[in-house]
Each structure stands twice: as structure tokens, then as C-alpha cells.
Amino acid sequence: MNFYLKNFLFLISVLFVGSCAIQVAPTGGVKDATPPKAMKFIPENYSANFAQSDIHISFDEYIQVKDINSQLIVSPPLKYQPEIKARSKSLFIRIADTLLKNTTYTFNFGNAISDITEGNIFENFQYVFSTGNQLDSLSASGKVENAFDNKTLGGIDVMLYKSIDDSVPLKQLPNYLARTNAEGRFTINNVSAGDRKSTRLNSSH
């Protein structure tokens, strides 16, 4: 075999080996479309005789919290906004207020909680507890419309008062609070039993 033929065959073999060594980036697999899932609660969700100021919730993946001040609805409302922090796969809640006795509280996080990788939202996640020995189980729901054109109103705060005094919205915080969705509908859960005649419903922007 002559010198030029040997060099030609050697060059072909080098090119073949080099092409086999080319690295191809992985496709990444199927995109994650599942929101985070709450795995453990301290204290337990829907627990009675709640007397703590700190709450720890663990999830099955890394989470993030966005727009918590506008998304979080606490019912009955608290005087001071609770401190909310997301760290790794955990959510930490610190309550600064003195809680009312024998009262069921609902923390609705709206669309604030999502996973870090794909931003999948855990919609309307709720943490509920009672400072008494049982959870209140009644609910109130409805739809808010503009009285002039009958158009539904989304993002409206709906307040439920136990008093029917006309000036009560100016004097005190509501006993229960919810926010309408895009279709103008709302639901207030964990309402205590009482006299229906002494209940007042208000809404505001």
C-alpha cells in the first residue's frame, strides 16, 4: 500500500471516530405540568385547639411564593399581615396577632404558591385551624354583579359581618372575608353557626 493511500485511510478513520464522539444534549423529557403538593403540616391542617404562632408546611418539590400581600386572604382578617417565607421545599408562616378564642381561621393563598422549575401554580391552597375544640363548617357563596349593567365583578373583596349595623364596615374588621374570581363568584368557608337575621354582607374594591 503506497504512502498516500495509507494517509487517506488514516484520515478517514480519524473523522469516523471523531463523529462518534460528538455529544448530543438531552431532550429533557416530558415537561412538568404538576403543581406542588403539600405533604406535611405542623400543626396539622384542619386541626382544633390551635395555640401556636408558627406554622411549617412541607411540599414534594421546591416552591416559591409570589405576590403574597395581594394573594393571601385570611378569614377572619388579622390586624397584622402574617410573615410568609418559602425556603427549599417548605413554607413558613408566623402569626403576629393574638387570635380570637373559639374561632376557625382560613388562610387562602390564592395563586401565590408555585414550583420553582416550571412555575406550576397550586391554586387556592388553604390552611385551616380552629382555636376552639371544633371547626366551623358552614359556608356562604354567591356572585357579585354591577347593579347598573349586571356585569360580573372579579377581584372584589366580599365581607361578612355578624352585625347588621349600617356603620359596622367603618368601625370594625369583617368577621369573614373572601375575594371573587374572574366570574364574580365567591365562597366563604368555615363560617360559624348564628342567627341569619343578624348577618350583613358587604363588598368593596
Side-chain angles (χ1 to χ4, degrees):
M1 185 179 296
N2 61 40
F3 173 77
Y4 295 105
L5 181 58
K6 286 182 179 181
N7 285 342
F8 177 74
L9 293 176
F10 174 75
L11 178 61
I12 293 297
S13 64
V14 169
L15 291 175
F16 176 76
V17 171
S19 65
C20 291
I22 294 175
Q23 300 295 317
V24 178
T27 60
V30 180
K31 182 179 179 180
D32 176 22
T34 304
K37 181 180 179 181
M39 304 298 291
K40 185 178 181 180
F41 301 87
I42 303 176
E44 285 292 332
N45 202 4
Y46 297 96
S47 61
N49 299 310
F50 183 94
Q52 286 77 11
S53 59
D54 292 296
I55 302 165
H56 177 199
I57 305 173
S58 300
F59 292 82
D60 62 343
E61 57 183 317
Y62 291 94
I63 63 166
Q64 59 187 342
V65 174
K66 293 184 177 180
D67 303 322
I68 190 65
N69 291 331
S70 61
Q71 290 292 326
L72 178 65
I73 296 292
V74 181
S75 180
L78 298 172
K79 184 178 180 180
Y80 304 105
Q81 184 83 343
E83 182 181 343
I84 311 290
K85 290 184 178 180
R87 189 179 304 145
S88 183
K89 297 181 180 181
S90 296
L91 185 72
F92 298 92
I93 306 168
R94 171 160 288 182
I95 301 171
D97 281 349
T98 299
L99 300 175
L100 300 173
K101 295 181 179 179
N102 300 315
T103 301
T104 299
Y105 285 86
T106 301
F107 285 60
N108 188 321
F109 289 86
N111 294 331
I113 300 174
S114 62
D115 62 46
I116 288 181
T117 54
E118 300 293 344
N120 298 307
I121 296 173
F122 191 172
E123 295 184 359
N124 294 317
F125 168 63
Q126 293 188 353
Y127 181 80
V128 182
F129 62 83
S130 173
T131 56
N133 56 16
Q134 64 181 7
L135 292 163
D136 296 323
S137 58
L138 299 182
S139 64
S141 60
K143 186 177 182 181
V144 177
E145 296 180 346
N146 189 313
F148 294 101
D149 55 17
N150 293 325
K151 291 184 178 180
T152 56
L153 299 174
I156 300 297
D157 289 338
V158 178
M159 298 165 285
L160 184 63
Y161 292 88
K162 292 183 178 180
S163 172
I164 59 173
D165 185 355
D166 288 341
S167 61
V168 69
L170 302 176
K171 296 179 179 179
Q172 66 183 58
L173 292 173
N175 297 102
Y176 301 96
L177 180 66
R179 184 169 294 156
T180 60
N181 60 18
E183 289 75 38
R185 298 189 179 278
F186 70 91
T187 299
I188 302 175
N189 293 316
N190 308 112
V191 177
S192 63
D195 185 356
R196 291 178 180 269
K197 295 180 180 178
S198 64
T199 301
R200 180 182 181 87
L201 190 65
N202 285 77
S203 61
S204 67
H205 292 276

